[in-house]
Amino acid sequence: MGIQEIEQVLKEEQWTRASASAFTVANFETFDRLIEHLDDEQKIEARDMCERHIRDREKNSVVAHYINGVLSIQRKGSENFLPLLNLIELFSEHKRWNIVEYLAQKILNKSENRHALRLLAQSYEATGKHEKKIELWERLVNVDYEEVDILKQLGTYALEAGKTEKAVSYFKKTINRLLKRKDFTPIRQIHEIVIANDPHQFDYSMNLAEQIAATSNSSAVAILRDAAEAYKKDDVDQMIEIQKRILTLDRDDAIARDQLIKSYRKKYKEHSRLESCLESSALVGMIARDVLLSIEDFETNIAFDKGTFVFQNSTGRIGRIRSIDETDVIVDFAGQATTQGSRLSTNMAFKSLQALPKSHIWVLKSALPKQRLYDKVKNDIPWTLNILMSSNGGQSNLRDMKAELVPSILEAKEWTSWMNQAKKELMANPLFDLSPTDSDVYLLRSTPISYEEKQLSIFRSERDFYDKIRRLREFISNKGDVESDYFLEMVGFFSEFFFEENGVSKPIVVTNDVIMSSYLLLEELVKKQGMHFVALPEAIGFVDLFERSEDIYEVFVPIRDSELKKSFIDHIVDEIPSWPKVLIEIFPGYLTSYIPDIFRQNKKNADLLKLYKDAVENFKDKGATLIYLLRNGDKKVWDKSGYTKEQLLYIQLQLLDAVNRYIDAKRDAPENRKNSKALMNLLFDDKQIFTCIEEGDEENAQRIYSLVANVFNLPGGKKIEVKHAISVRFPGFKFFDEAPVSQREAFVPTGLFCTAASLEAKKKELDYIQHVELPEIAKEIGAAREMGDLRENSEYKYGKEKQTLIQNNLRRLSEEIDRASVVTPDMVDGSKVGFGTKVTLMDNLKGEEVTYTIMGQWEANPNENIINISAPFGRELVNHEVDERFTFTINEQSYDFTVKKIEKIDF
């Protein structure tokens, strides 16, 4: 019925040749009711009908454009706003403002479309709805990153309304956008407004000038001159910094030079050598000299005065100036034997000494008791960071900090803990910032940085795409101002993949995980976080990105954000008809219950079964998937798969052999080591293999042993364990790789014989090394690596040496376990000397009896006469019987024994 009615209104429009002026809001409400009654198939038919009508009959049809436009924005993942935008422009030309508002709201209910916002704002301006216009402008500037004029007008309106803080924020956003355009001319006027209304913008002004100077020195000087005028009654140090910066940009600026001299006179008015320092540096007088060299000389010379702390470059000593005049400087150095002090000529002093403030770390090391300074550094990390940075020109990195603190204040073993606390402080404290040019360098600020500005600095410093996503999520979760320009710049990083500088969508030639993740993130911000000011790409959707992906698995797997992966999967289910096949394909890239649960919720049990079978049939390529399903899968699905427990065990052993060979060939070694460990846990730690031996028949045991014996690089005596389990279960079992031996040769010491208890103890030792000692040393090495230059990093070198020792111990122990042969009490022959026996011998040379217990190398203890059967002495004792006399020589020492008694021992 709905399709016929739509066809009818299209005909009526054509017959009456209705113009734009003939339509009312009521007409569009009627069209909406017609659309509401359409099902999905009818919507497709209606859209095709409208497109044909426009193409073949009436290209300016309002009804066809409207119905097509509404249906287009309802298409999930592929919204097209152009038909409605064209209608809004049409009705704007006819000044039908109520229809303009109705149509614009249709779009804005779906997306913060910048064109719809602008057109609706123009409508409100035309109808005198000032407050509504302002509200729309505020939304518009948050999605149109190129808009400047409206942003400036918002600042003006806020200033007129007495909202100074809000006005300053708008003006600074305007400046930021003009900077991106490199349009410096309007910036000066706006900057004047900022500093006139907020006297605490010194750091902002200096940073602004720095950014402008990269392109235009003259524009930067103008900004600095305005700042000097605004801050001239404030801190004299700020004035000095401004004038020095101007002279750096323009060395011939006479005004800045005169102002700098006045500032120096004001700051050092009590200094005994002020005038002589000005004259000798040629800042004043008739001597022509590079002003920057004069400034450097002046600040070097003026730093020296009575009571000033100094550092002697040649000796590394700290001292304090006792007296100074035009010819001599007398310094009292720490630890100096004489009470007369050290006399240096003034020229020599300026060359060999470095003036230090009282708070310099070197001064504190020299002047404070060591324990007091240690306690302060250990317990007051913000203070320590401030001292270290101010001692290094207001900046430092962790490597330099360590060099200053270790070992003079902190011990090497204390550094890692202190450094971790310092990192947290550097990230959280608003007085510390990150260098915009070097992410390893931290800056000390004179004024606190806002949370939003600092998070932007951290965001910029992140080199990894997914770390940037993590930082953006932290910004939101920590309640950062999401309407700030700082947040918008973060969002802009992801938006720029889709928008050119003019804000128009651009075609995506090659898609990848970065572009897909950017789209999904922007969509999440708009639809889940409610940030309608974030611009979504309007001419592209998930389906478009999906269809342009040559290998969807290669797009999905690299996405290192679980929420984005879930969103990706949800889109697949909602928008891709063949979604079960796609989910089976990408499941190895997201081994959680999320995808299996979707199959269950949608009653796709046959497809879920395919997923299980696919993992088994392709186990060498999908080893991690099979392991996941074996550990976490649904037992009911496994029961329906057609694979028995024995068959799955055989496949696991074949997979273990394959992954071990991959490791040896260095093929995806980290992933395969993980798979090997997981398989070892399933087969041996979880006792699957032993349960299967216990519950199966001898043929099953033969199959298991055959597979186990052929597993490449099977570690730690596992073959021996399996062999022992089979021997216990089937006493007469014939092992294919074991040659028959005579009864007398059964325990000839050619291997490493041991008890089951000793083997278990060694396996625990091996496990402890693998899972405790090695991870701990790896963690220590990782922390040491973060300290900087590895060539001078003693903690790193010590850690690597320790790691090598542990790895060597691990290798030795693993090889021993692999060679081990477990001897059980029932295997011991008490009629002759051998493993597990206690023998009493007559020492015919000494005329006395001696008793020895014969065991393996792990149980041996010579101090208690427990002899290693594999040692030279042990090998000479074995296989002799009661009353048998035998002699031998070891290391030129002769032995003559007669066997008196042989006993089997309990073990």
Side-chain angles (χ1 to χ4, degrees), residues 563-734:
E563 291 304 313
L564 296 185
K565 281 200 166 183
K566 290 178 183 177
S567 177
F568 185 103
I569 293 167
D570 292 342
H571 272 291
I572 294 291
V573 175
D574 292 341
E575 301 175 46
I576 306 301
S578 60
W579 67 264
K581 179 182 177 182
V582 177
L583 292 196
I584 291 174
E585 180 184 351
I586 67 174
F587 179 60
Y590 193 51
L591 295 175
T592 71
S593 62
Y594 198 74
I595 288 176
D597 286 346
I598 288 175
F599 281 118
R600 293 188 188 93
Q601 292 161 9
N602 289 274
K603 301 188 184 307
K604 296 285 186 178
N605 296 326
D607 292 299
L608 180 59
L609 188 58
K610 284 182 185 178
L611 185 146
Y612 279 62
K613 288 185 174 181
D614 178 67
V616 176
E617 292 166 2
N618 301 285
F619 70 89
K620 288 188 178 181
D621 295 324
K622 298 185 177 182
T625 305
L626 176 61
I627 293 168
Y628 174 82
L629 292 173
L630 288 169
R631 298 178 71 172
N632 306 285
D634 188 332
K635 184 179 180 302
K636 293 179 180 178
V637 179
W638 276 123
D639 291 342
K640 294 177 182 178
S641 70
Y643 294 101
T644 65
K645 288 192 299 183
E646 291 78 13
Q647 288 173 319
L648 292 174
L649 183 72
Y650 304 156
I651 290 170
Q652 290 178 68
L653 287 168
Q654 293 176 67
L655 178 58
L656 180 60
D657 175 64
V659 298
N660 285 351
R661 293 182 188 277
Y662 295 154
I663 294 169
D664 186 66
K666 296 181 173 55
R667 172 180 164 185
D668 296 329
E671 176 68 17
N672 281 306
R673 286 194 188 96
K674 181 180 176 182
N675 290 343
S676 179
K677 181 180 178 181
L679 286 166
M680 292 296 292
N681 288 336
L682 282 169
L683 291 165
F684 294 95
D685 295 351
D686 294 348
K687 308 295 184 183
Q688 283 191 19
I689 197 166
F690 302 109
T691 301
C692 196
I693 291 170
E694 185 64 31
E695 296 177 353
D697 56 21
E698 191 167 343
E699 183 179 350
N700 172 59
Q702 188 70 57
R703 174 71 169 149
I704 290 173
Y705 185 73
S706 175
L707 290 168
V708 168
N710 286 289
V711 171
F712 184 77
N713 279 349
L714 185 64
K718 299 302 181 184
K719 178 180 173 182
I720 300 298
E721 291 183 51
V722 172
K723 197 171 185 179
H724 176 66
I726 293 174
S727 297
V728 172
R729 176 72 174 87
F730 305 103
F733 191 89
K734 302 297 182 183

Side-chain angles (χ1 to χ4, degrees), residues 732-799:
F733 191 89
K734 302 297 182 183
F735 296 97
F736 72 89
D737 58 350
E738 187 176 83
V741 295
S742 67
Q743 187 71 15
R744 179 165 180 84
E745 294 173 333
F747 295 113
V748 173
T750 57
L752 195 159
F753 294 105
C754 66
T755 65
S758 293
L759 178 61
E760 188 63 29
K762 291 297 179 181
K763 284 161 57 180
K764 288 181 180 179
E765 182 181 347
L766 183 74
D767 185 75
Y768 182 80
I769 293 173
Q770 288 176 321
H771 299 106
V772 178
E773 290 188 349
L774 277 178
E776 284 181 354
I777 192 61
K779 185 177 179 180
E780 291 176 13
I781 291 172
R785 185 182 289 110
E786 293 182 4
M787 299 174 193
D789 190 351
L790 301 183
R791 294 170 297 179
E792 301 177 5
N793 192 326
S794 58
E795 288 191 5
Y796 177 80
K797 291 178 181 178
Y798 169 75

Side-chain angles (χ1 to χ4, degrees), residues 47-227:
R47 190 167 59 247
D48 291 342
M49 179 193 303
C50 290
E51 289 176 352
R52 287 196 304 272
H53 186 81
I54 294 169
R55 184 180 65 249
D56 301 333
R57 296 181 182 177
E58 182 58 53
K59 67 177 182 179
N60 295 320
S61 169
V62 170
V63 176
H65 279 293
Y66 179 75
I67 293 175
N68 184 38
V70 172
L71 292 173
S72 293
I73 67 174
Q74 289 179 356
R75 291 179 64 190
K76 191 169 184 179
S78 186
E79 296 93 345
N80 179 13
F81 300 104
L82 190 58
L84 290 183
L85 287 172
N86 289 335
L87 282 180
I88 295 173
E89 290 184 351
L90 173 67
F91 284 103
S92 293
E93 292 172 2
H94 286 78
K95 296 182 173 50
R96 301 299 304 278
W97 305 120
N98 57 339
I99 296 178
V100 168
E101 181 174 5
Y102 185 85
L103 297 178
Q105 290 296 352
K106 278 283 181 186
I107 295 176
L108 296 177
N109 287 337
K110 293 288 290 184
S111 170
E112 286 288 272
N113 181 278
R114 68 195 69 196
H115 307 297
L117 286 168
R118 194 179 298 276
L119 290 168
L120 183 54
Q122 291 172 1
S123 167
Y124 287 153
E125 185 170 23
T127 54
K129 298 177 181 179
H130 180 72
E131 291 186 2
K132 285 191 172 184
K133 179 190 73 174
I134 295 298
E135 289 176 5
L136 281 179
W137 277 3
E138 289 175 339
R139 292 164 62 181
L140 175 61
V141 296
N142 283 330
V143 294
D144 189 346
Y145 304 131
E146 299 302 313
E147 179 55 57
V148 170
D149 294 335
I150 289 177
L151 198 54
K152 183 180 176 183
Q153 289 184 64
L154 286 171
T156 302
Y157 286 137
L159 203 57
E160 292 172 351
K163 300 176 181 178
T164 304
E165 184 177 347
K166 189 174 184 179
V168 168
S169 174
Y170 279 131
F171 288 129
K172 289 170 77 172
K173 288 180 181 180
T174 305
I175 290 173
N176 287 343
R177 295 183 182 185
L178 289 168
L179 281 172
K180 293 175 183 177
R181 291 185 184 180
K182 299 190 185 305
D183 184 3
F184 302 131
T185 303
I187 289 179
R188 184 176 183 184
Q189 178 193 7
I190 302 171
H191 173 252
E192 287 179 343
I193 299 173
V194 170
I195 57 180
N197 288 279
D198 187 349
H200 305 295
Q201 294 292 332
F202 175 77
D203 283 338
Y204 174 77
S205 296
M206 296 301 290
N207 183 56
L208 175 60
E210 190 74 23
Q211 294 182 70
I212 294 175
T215 305
S216 172
N217 282 2
S218 60
S219 298
V221 167
I223 292 294
L224 291 167
R225 213 179 293 288
D226 293 337

Side-chain angles (χ1 to χ4, degrees), residues 426-698:
L426 288 166
M427 289 295 103
N429 194 317
L431 288 175
F432 304 127
D433 198 0
L434 281 84
S435 167
T437 57
D438 187 345
S439 59
D440 293 329
V441 174
Y442 299 94
L443 307 177
L444 178 64
R445 291 177 58 98
S446 58
T447 56
I449 185 174
S450 69
Y451 171 81
E452 287 76 12
E453 187 176 356
K454 182 155 190 175
Q455 293 309 304
L456 177 59
S457 294
I458 297 172
F459 178 88
R460 287 169 174 166
S461 73
E462 296 290 3
R463 297 180 178 92
D464 181 81
F465 174 80
Y466 291 100
D467 284 340
K468 286 184 180 292
I469 290 182
R470 177 172 58 84
R471 291 297 181 184
L472 183 138
R473 290 195 185 284
E474 288 176 359
F475 186 100
I476 297 171
S477 63
N478 291 333
K479 309 299 182 184
D481 182 2
V482 296
E483 295 187 8
S484 67
D485 233 27
Y486 307 110
F487 181 73
L488 291 178
E489 182 174 328
M490 294 186 198
V491 173
F493 172 84
F494 304 102
S495 298
E496 68 183 9
F497 292 107
F498 304 96
F499 298 103
E500 298 283 9
E501 289 188 358
N502 61 7
V504 178
S505 296
K506 64 180 179 181
I508 307 297
V509 178
V510 178
T511 186
N512 54 33
D513 68 292
V514 169
I515 293 176
M516 180 66 80
S517 294
S518 296
Y519 175 83
L520 295 173
L521 179 65
L522 293 171
E523 182 188 58
E524 176 187 325
L525 295 178
V526 173
K527 297 183 178 180
K528 293 184 180 179
Q529 301 282 357
M531 299 179 189
H532 297 293
F533 52 83
V534 172
L536 272 175
E538 297 167 4
I540 196 167
F542 179 85
V543 174
D544 301 293
L545 293 174
F546 178 86
E547 291 176 348
R548 293 171 185 178
S549 301
E550 294 181 3
D551 188 336
I552 200 64
Y553 180 80
E554 293 301 324
V555 173
F556 177 74
V557 171
I559 298 175
R560 298 201 316 272
D561 183 283
S562 61
E563 291 304 313
L564 296 185
K565 281 200 166 183
K566 290 178 183 177
S567 177
F568 185 103
I569 293 167
D570 292 342
H571 272 291
I572 294 291
V573 175
D574 292 341
E575 301 175 46
I576 306 301
S578 60
W579 67 264
K581 179 182 177 182
V582 177
L583 292 196
I584 291 174
E585 180 184 351
I586 67 174
F587 179 60
Y590 193 51
L591 295 175
T592 71
S593 62
Y594 198 74
I595 288 176
D597 286 346
I598 288 175
F599 281 118
R600 293 188 188 93
Q601 292 161 9
N602 289 274
K603 301 188 184 307
K604 296 285 186 178
N605 296 326
D607 292 299
L608 180 59
L609 188 58
K610 284 182 185 178
L611 185 146
Y612 279 62
K613 288 185 174 181
D614 178 67
V616 176
E617 292 166 2
N618 301 285
F619 70 89
K620 288 188 178 181
D621 295 324
K622 298 185 177 182
T625 305
L626 176 61
I627 293 168
Y628 174 82
L629 292 173
L630 288 169
R631 298 178 71 172
N632 306 285
D634 188 332
K635 184 179 180 302
K636 293 179 180 178
V637 179
W638 276 123
D639 291 342
K640 294 177 182 178
S641 70
Y643 294 101
T644 65
K645 288 192 299 183
E646 291 78 13
Q647 288 173 319
L648 292 174
L649 183 72
Y650 304 156
I651 290 170
Q652 290 178 68
L653 287 168
Q654 293 176 67
L655 178 58
L656 180 60
D657 175 64
V659 298
N660 285 351
R661 293 182 188 277
Y662 295 154
I663 294 169
D664 186 66
K666 296 181 173 55
R667 172 180 164 185
D668 296 329
E671 176 68 17
N672 281 306
R673 286 194 188 96
K674 181 180 176 182
N675 290 343
S676 179
K677 181 180 178 181
L679 286 166
M680 292 296 292
N681 288 336
L682 282 169
L683 291 165
F684 294 95
D685 295 351
D686 294 348
K687 308 295 184 183
Q688 283 191 19
I689 197 166
F690 302 109
T691 301
C692 196
I693 291 170
E694 185 64 31
E695 296 177 353
D697 56 21
E698 191 167 343

